Amino acid sequence: MTAYEKLRARMHEVALLGGSSSVLSWDQETHMPPKGTPVRAQQLGYLAGLAHRLATASEVGDWIQSCEEEDGSNPERTPNIREWRRDYDRSTRVPAALVEELTCAESFAREAWVQAKGVTQFSTFEPHLDKLVRLCRRKADHLGFADSPYDALMDLYEPGLTVRTAAPLLADLQESLVALLPELQAKTSRLPGDALQGVYPIPAQQAFNHEVAAAMGFDFAAGRIDTTAHPFCSGIGPGDCRLTTRYDERDFTSSLFGVMHEAGHGLYEQGLPAEAYGTPLGEAVSLGIHESQSRLWENHVGRSREFWRHWYSRAGDAFPHLRKIAPDDFWLLINRIEPSFIRVEADELTYHLHIILRFEIEKALIEGTLEARDVPTAWNERFKALFGMTVPDDAKGCLQDVHWSSGLFGYFPTYTLGSLNAAQIFAAAQRQIPTLAGDLAEGRCASLLQWLRKHVHVHGRRYLPAELIRLATVEPPKAKYLIDHLKTKFGSAAE
Amino acid sequence: MTAYEKLRARMHEVALLGGSSSVLSWDQETHMPPKGTPVRAQQLGYLAGLAHRLATASEVGDWIQSCEEEDGSNPERTPNIREWRRDYDRSTRVPAALVEELTCAESFAREAWVQAKGVTQFSTFEPHLDKLVRLCRRKADHLGFADSPYDALMDLYEPGLTVRTAAPLLADLQESLVALLPELQAKTSRLPGDALQGVYPIPAQQAFNHEVAAAMGFDFAAGRIDTTAHPFCSGIGPGDCRLTTRYDERDFTSSLFGVMHEAGHGLYEQGLPAEAYGTPLGEAVSLGIHESQSRLWENHVGRSREFWRHWYSRAGDAFPHLRKIAPDDFWLLINRIEPSFIRVEADELTYHLHIILRFEIEKALIEGTLEARDVPTAWNERFKALFGMTVPDDAKGCLQDVHWSSGLFGYFPTYTLGSLNAAQIFAAAQRQIPTLAGDLAEGRCASLLQWLRKHVHVHGRRYLPAELIRLATVEPPKAKYLIDHLKTKFGSAAE
């Protein structure tokens, strides 16, 4: 076997182990009896360790090097080798002792965070946050970076993303969003926030969600939808991708938008080239691109007037309560813009102010210009400036998210990047598919899905995320399209 | 680490891989979308290969040998080392090339069997059966045996079982069963066979089954019940054991006895000592003992008058249709004895005539005194002699079971052994628990479960099956107890 064939075979094993772990994790969230936890933890730990050892063995480094030294480029081998190199370096540069120390610190930190959040007492979490920041800074040093240690961490989730590119993008975005907020809030909040609330039986929600996901193009012969406490999408391998959602019996849009979001992720997974399974060309490229697919379907399709032109009467059949609400009012209610304290409950506009806040704070923590103990003050001041509201306590402030307690610094920006990408991609699709608005208004999503398959899904990790966006939309990533989308949607007069 | 510690660590890994595979297999039967099949097959194949390589590596043989050479016996180490030796020899004696040839032949044979059964044409299956018999004979030669090559195959499923012990046991049983059949058939078939049929909604069946399994002592915090085409019990590890059943909306006893049977298996799994997980002491000892637990709960508890003394009115609440049937009639209907062609539909008595028939034929095939092409004739002649009925076609005759097409020769006897063991164990429990009949009549199963935990479950693979039966019941395995059970149950006058 050539070095390349050996690499392919090894990485196929790693993919099989990863897919097996995905089934075990999915099962843990959906069906596992509670006393199964200890053995499940052992199984998952063992499979993860095995996959890590297989992927980081020294012979893997040798095979990659042999491939790199060979002549000539090849449309399959070249991107695979480039990405295997990236993965290998990322996994081997951080010493095992530091990985272990981090894993251990995260485990204590998560416990402390749960407790701190429960009693809204930041001081319980503070020493853990401090420790994790220091360890992540050391991790960044090992990973390497040009300008900021925060770059090395963002790169783990969004290959190629740096402060140099992200900061101006987010600054642009912030300025426009803050300017738009008062007008859009006024336009979208004329109805009481609870006007949608009614009786929406779960079986009717499940049937409706299934119908919408199928209309989007989600292949139920290669996937399913289950119920979990926190919605997610798990790609187990070609032919098996699972979505989850949760139900609010008083508001069907909660589970519906959850399903549309996760089905957006699922369509990406189902659109990856099956023949490249086990190689980078068969994998999703980044969190920011993955999130672009989920947000495109959730926000640009699911919250559009066109989409509901077709689906409103179907929804009325499924949920008689809805017939009391005029379509225009319904559309306003699912697009309500209003500042709030909690990120995961935020609307399409203010969501990004939450992310900008986190970006600034975690960047400062990792760069050493902010100390852990000063996070609540910094958070609350910045929140007041961005939202014009006073944070009542840390549980509704800097303690609300699980990410930092899990050692995830550099992850938050991918959410906003997902929305920026979604807007830019959707604008390109609108330009290139003249029938798109009409298609959606008649319940047809095939033209959009086909376009996404061709311009995004099929490439796997062939291009870095920013390059993929440039190829798909003919421009580098910009804040403009999300702003335009919001302005157009609500007929803003702002310039 | 000592050799023993190394063995324990290695076998713990093997157990984690086995449990992970169990989750994947369970998922495949219960929830996996159809297009997931190809990748699932790869995942399962990879995990099985990995576990096999880890368990059969040459260092494992060295560690076992070191342990064997060390002095002294120890209540934990001694049985573990003995059983690790048995497993190691069993897995390493058959050359890899033969294992591969068998796996491949089985795969073709199963396909041919499905086809042959579909069109009831034995000739399609015959060359495959012939090939599998020859390969299994070679497998037996590698495994080694004293008297018959069939011994080597039975030993795979029931350690220590030989023709020398099984043949007289089954001959005894046959004689008594054939003698009893006419009388018991007459006594139990005075009502029409479909008298139970009615409307039994699946949710009501599920609730009732759950209640019964919980009353048996099945721990739902460490297990669950799902729906599959073929019922099974899967022990994933301590704290996670899953049962499945199937539903007939016109007869609730089909799913109920399925659940009681599988819950019997499940109680055994839940009763294995969790601290011995990953070693033979934490594993079920044999199919014949496993089946004794399922059949004890299904037949000796579930089809007894005592059990229904408590459960009949509860069942009437759940299924109003049942109120039209007198309790005595109900008891007769669930105990109806009547010869039929299909093993899996057979009653508590004639079931074993089906097994005796298969035992004789597969023993003759493996010993070379019967050729594959002569199986239909041999089957039909023997069936006529045992049942007094003429087999209408091979689909209702020698093609009905999947076992031979999967290379399973020597497996069938464990079913009857399970019933013999169940009867012998239940008789011992009755002697030793004076309150047992009263307990069951009041819906209490704890005294029985506690007894089974102590005398069967907790031992894992500490004793060979026949020794376990002797210790639990003070006698070697005998046919007498099953015969006594049937006679007593139906008040037979036979001697």
Side-chain angles (χ1 to χ4, degrees):
Chain A
M1 289 212 293
T2 66
Y4 185 76
E5 286 163 351
K6 286 181 195 161
L7 268 175
R8 243 201 109 127
R10 172 64 61 90
M11 294 310 175
H12 188 77
E13 293 182 42
V14 174
L16 291 176
L17 286 169
S20 301
S21 295
S22 298
V23 178
L24 266 60
S25 297
W26 174 87
D27 177 77
Q28 180 162 19
E29 300 300 323
T30 53
H31 294 98
M32 191 188 74
K35 289 185 187 170
T37 308
V39 169
R40 184 56 47 87
Q42 288 182 41
Q43 291 165 338
L44 284 169
Y46 177 67
L47 294 181
L50 205 56
H52 181 78
R53 286 197 298 281
L54 286 173
T56 58
S58 62
E59 67 266 22
V60 172
D62 298 340
W63 297 332
I64 294 172
Q65 203 181 331
S66 299
C67 289
E68 288 167 340
E69 286 163 0
E70 280 170 34
D71 284 341
S73 84
N74 167 308
E76 181 206 309
R77 293 172 43 128
T78 307
N80 279 338
I81 294 164
R82 182 195 72 221
E83 292 300 304
W84 276 328
R85 162 62 69 197
R86 173 190 304 278
D87 293 345
Y88 185 77
D89 287 349
R90 223 153 62 165
S91 313
T92 55
R93 278 184 184 157
V94 184
L98 178 54
V99 172
E100 217 168 286
E101 208 179 338
L102 251 167
T103 306
C104 181
E106 283 160 16
S107 167
F108 285 112
R110 266 193 303 273
E111 228 179 285
W113 169 72
V114 169
Q115 213 192 321
K117 190 178 173 183
V119 296
T120 60
Q121 184 175 295
F122 180 76
S123 62
T124 307
F125 181 51
E126 190 217 301
H128 296 276
L129 178 60
D130 184 61
K131 177 153 196 187
L132 284 176
V133 166
R134 284 167 204 281
L135 290 171
C136 285
R137 247 185 252 153
R138 279 172 53 203
K139 184 175 168 182
D141 287 339
H142 287 287
L143 290 168
F145 53 86
D147 299 325
S148 163
Y150 186 63
D151 290 351
L153 301 180
M154 283 199 297
D155 185 78
L156 292 172
Y157 313 108
E158 197 63 20
L161 188 66
T162 59
V163 172
R164 194 186 287 254
T165 51
L169 208 58
L170 295 178
D172 263 15
L173 184 65
Q174 179 194 321
E175 193 186 352
S176 306
L177 293 179
V178 169
L180 267 177
L181 177 53
E183 180 194 344
L184 299 199
Q185 181 176 0
K187 281 193 163 178
T188 61
S189 55
R190 73 173 161 76
L191 296 166
D194 60 359
L196 254 184
Q197 293 210 345
V199 176
Y200 304 94
I202 291 177
Q205 292 191 45
Q206 288 174 321
F208 188 70
N209 294 346
H210 190 285
E211 202 180 326
V212 169
M216 286 167 62
F218 185 76
D219 180 359
F220 279 95
R224 44 182 293 127
I225 304 179
D226 294 270
T227 307
T228 53
H230 300 281
F232 63 86
C233 165
S234 175
I236 287 161
D240 195 349
C241 174
R242 306 185 182 186
L243 321 177
T244 73
T245 191
R246 57 182 161 203
Y247 297 91
D248 176 349
E249 291 198 82
R250 313 201 321 132
D251 184 355
F252 80 103
T253 62
S254 154
S255 76
L256 172 67
F257 288 122
V259 163
M260 290 192 76
H261 182 96
E262 300 306 333
H265 284 304
L267 289 172
Y268 185 14
E269 291 286 326
Q270 291 188 338
L272 292 166
E275 69 281 6
Y277 176 61
T279 73
L281 285 179
E283 291 167 6
V285 64
S286 73
L287 293 182
I289 298 297
H290 230 310
E291 196 72 9
S292 78
Q293 300 305 293
S294 55
R295 296 190 175 209
L296 186 150
W297 287 99
E298 179 190 353
N299 292 332
H300 293 266
V301 177
R303 295 184 203 273
S304 72
R305 287 193 191 274
E306 288 78 15
F307 180 80
W308 289 102
R309 210 151 281 153
H310 172 78
W311 288 98
Y312 200 72
S313 71
R314 274 290 305 121
D317 295 344
F319 312 115
H321 174 85
L322 211 57
R323 299 208 188 112
K324 297 176 210 151
I325 303 168
D328 279 350
D329 288 348
F330 174 76
W331 180 83
L332 261 189
L333 286 166
I334 61 171
N335 280 292
R336 188 184 184 84
I337 285 172
E338 188 169 35
S340 63
F341 295 108
I342 304 297
R343 174 183 63 88
V344 296
E345 294 165 6
D347 56 72
E348 223 184 326
L349 188 158
T350 59
Y351 186 89
H352 303 291
L353 301 178
H354 288 278
I355 296 300
I356 288 164
L357 168 70
R358 285 155 180 77
F359 169 78
E360 291 171 358
I361 287 180
E362 64 180 21
K363 175 175 161 297
L365 281 171
I366 297 296
E367 290 181 345
T369 59
L370 178 72
E371 292 297 318
R373 67 172 171 273
D374 298 324
V375 164
T377 313
W379 181 288
N380 296 346
E381 282 176 13
R382 197 68 187 110
F383 194 90
K384 177 87 186 171
L386 285 166
F387 291 81
M389 288 157 66
T390 303
V391 175
D393 60 55
D394 291 337
K396 290 200 176 60
C398 65
L399 284 174
Q400 69 183 266
D401 293 311
V402 69
H403 300 60
W404 292 339
S405 72
S406 301
L408 296 173
F409 298 89
Y411 190 110
F412 281 122
T414 68
Y415 292 126
T416 283
L417 208 60
S419 288
L420 298 180
N421 292 337
Q424 189 158 335
I425 289 170
F426 193 74
Q430 281 177 314
R431 288 194 304 270
Q432 292 180 30
I433 312 169
T435 62
L436 183 55
D439 288 347
L440 294 177
E442 286 172 16
R444 292 192 306 268
C445 301
S447 58
L448 177 59
L449 178 58
Q450 212 173 348
W451 192 92
L452 293 170
R453 288 260 186 270
K454 181 176 166 192
H455 293 278
V456 180
H457 304 175
V458 77
H459 297 305
R461 294 169 66 183
R462 181 176 298 281
Y463 309 108
L464 285 187
E467 175 70 1
L468 180 69
I469 292 296
R470 206 188 52 77
L471 286 168
T473 70
V474 206
E475 284 178 287
K478 287 185 176 174
K480 170 183 186 301
Y481 291 97
L482 179 59
I483 300 301
D484 284 354
H485 159 69
L486 292 170
K487 283 186 184 166
T488 311
K489 186 167 180 171
F490 301 105
S492 164
E495 258 327 288
Chain B
M1 291 211 293
T2 66
Y4 185 78
E5 286 163 351
K6 286 180 194 161
L7 268 174
R8 242 199 110 127
R10 173 65 60 90
M11 295 309 173
H12 188 77
E13 293 182 41
V14 173
L16 291 176
L17 286 170
S20 300
S21 295
S22 298
V23 179
L24 266 60
S25 298
W26 173 88
D27 178 77
Q28 180 162 19
E29 301 300 323
T30 51
H31 295 98
M32 191 188 74
K35 290 184 185 170
T37 307
V39 169
R40 184 56 47 88
Q42 288 181 41
Q43 291 164 338
L44 284 168
Y46 177 67
L47 294 182
L50 204 57
H52 181 77
R53 286 197 298 280
L54 285 174
T56 59
S58 62
E59 67 266 22
V60 172
D62 298 340
W63 296 333
I64 294 173
Q65 203 181 330
S66 298
C67 289
E68 288 167 340
E69 285 163 0
E70 279 170 34
D71 284 340
S73 84
N74 168 308
E76 180 206 310
R77 292 173 43 130
T78 307
N80 279 338
I81 294 164
R82 183 195 71 221
E83 292 299 304
W84 276 328
R85 162 61 68 195
R86 174 190 303 279
D87 293 346
Y88 185 77
D89 287 350
R90 226 153 62 164
S91 314
T92 55
R93 278 186 183 156
V94 185
L98 178 54
V99 172
E100 218 168 283
E101 210 180 336
L102 251 167
T103 306
C104 180
E106 284 160 14
S107 166
F108 285 112
R110 266 193 302 273
E111 229 179 284
W113 169 74
V114 170
Q115 213 191 323
K117 190 179 172 183
V119 297
T120 61
Q121 185 175 294
F122 180 76
S123 61
T124 307
F125 181 52
E126 191 216 301
H128 296 276
L129 178 61
D130 184 60
K131 176 155 196 182
L132 285 177
V133 165
R134 285 167 204 282
L135 290 172
C136 284
R137 246 185 252 152
R138 279 171 55 201
K139 184 175 169 183
D141 288 339
H142 286 287
L143 290 167
F145 54 87
D147 298 325
S148 163
Y150 186 63
D151 290 351
L153 302 180
M154 283 199 297
D155 186 77
L156 293 173
Y157 312 109
E158 197 64 19
L161 188 66
T162 60
V163 172
R164 193 186 287 254
T165 52
L169 207 58
L170 295 178
D172 263 15
L173 184 65
Q174 180 194 321
E175 194 186 349
S176 306
L177 294 179
V178 169
L180 268 178
L181 177 53
E183 181 195 343
L184 299 200
Q185 184 176 357
K187 282 193 164 177
T188 60
S189 55
R190 74 173 158 78
L191 296 165
D194 60 0
L196 255 183
Q197 293 210 345
V199 176
Y200 303 94
I202 292 177
Q205 292 191 46
Q206 288 175 320
F208 188 70
N209 295 347
H210 190 285
E211 202 180 325
V212 169
M216 286 166 62
F218 185 77
D219 180 359
F220 279 95
R224 44 182 293 126
I225 305 179
D226 294 270
T227 307
T228 53
H230 301 281
F232 63 84
C233 165
S234 175
I236 287 161
D240 194 350
C241 174
R242 306 186 182 185
L243 320 177
T244 74
T245 191
R246 56 183 162 202
Y247 296 91
D248 176 349
E249 290 198 81
R250 315 202 320 132
D251 183 355
F252 80 103
T253 62
S254 153
S255 76
L256 172 67
F257 289 123
V259 163
M260 291 192 75
H261 181 97
E262 301 306 333
H265 285 303
L267 289 172
Y268 186 14
E269 291 286 326
Q270 292 188 337
L272 292 167
E275 69 281 6
Y277 176 62
T279 73
L281 285 179
E283 291 168 6
V285 63
S286 74
L287 293 182
I289 298 297
H290 230 310
E291 196 72 8
S292 78
Q293 299 307 291
S294 55
R295 294 189 176 210
L296 187 151
W297 288 99
E298 179 189 355
N299 292 332
H300 294 266
V301 177
R303 294 184 203 274
S304 72
R305 287 192 191 274
E306 288 76 16
F307 180 79
W308 290 102
R309 210 151 282 154
H310 172 77
W311 288 98
Y312 200 72
S313 70
R314 274 290 306 121
D317 295 344
F319 313 115
H321 175 84
L322 210 57
R323 299 207 188 113
K324 297 176 210 150
I325 303 169
D328 280 349
D329 289 347
F330 173 75
W331 180 82
L332 262 188
L333 287 165
I334 61 171
N335 280 292
R336 188 183 185 84
I337 286 172
E338 189 169 35
S340 63
F341 295 107
I342 304 298
R343 176 183 62 86
V344 296
E345 294 166 5
D347 56 72
E348 223 185 326
L349 188 157
T350 59
Y351 185 89
H352 304 291
L353 301 178
H354 288 277
I355 297 299
I356 288 164
L357 169 69
R358 286 156 180 75
F359 169 77
E360 291 171 358
I361 287 179
E362 64 180 21
K363 177 174 159 299
L365 281 170
I366 297 295
E367 290 181 345
T369 60
L370 178 72
E371 292 297 318
R373 66 171 172 275
D374 299 324
V375 164
T377 313
W379 181 289
N380 296 346
E381 283 176 12
R382 199 65 188 113
F383 194 89
K384 177 86 186 172
L386 285 167
F387 291 81
M389 287 157 67
T390 302
V391 175
D393 61 54
D394 292 337
K396 289 199 177 61
C398 66
L399 284 175
Q400 69 183 265
D401 292 311
V402 69
H403 299 60
W404 292 340
S405 73
S406 301
L408 296 173
F409 298 89
Y411 190 109
F412 281 123
T414 67
Y415 291 127
T416 283
L417 209 61
S419 288
L420 297 180
N421 291 337
Q424 190 158 335
I425 289 170
F426 193 73
Q430 282 177 313
R431 288 194 304 270
Q432 293 180 31
I433 313 169
T435 61
L436 183 54
D439 287 348
L440 294 177
E442 287 171 14
R444 292 192 306 266
C445 301
S447 59
L448 177 59
L449 178 58
Q450 211 173 350
W451 192 93
L452 293 170
R453 288 260 186 269
K454 181 176 165 193
H455 293 278
V456 180
H457 304 175
V458 77
H459 296 305
R461 294 169 66 184
R462 181 176 297 282
Y463 309 107
L464 284 185
E467 176 69 1
L468 180 68
I469 292 296
R470 206 188 53 76
L471 286 168
T473 71
V474 206
E475 283 178 288
K478 287 184 176 177
K480 172 184 185 300
Y481 291 97
L482 179 58
I483 300 300
D484 284 354
H485 159 69
L486 292 170
K487 283 185 183 169
T488 311
K489 185 166 181 172
F490 299 107
S492 165
E495 260 325 289

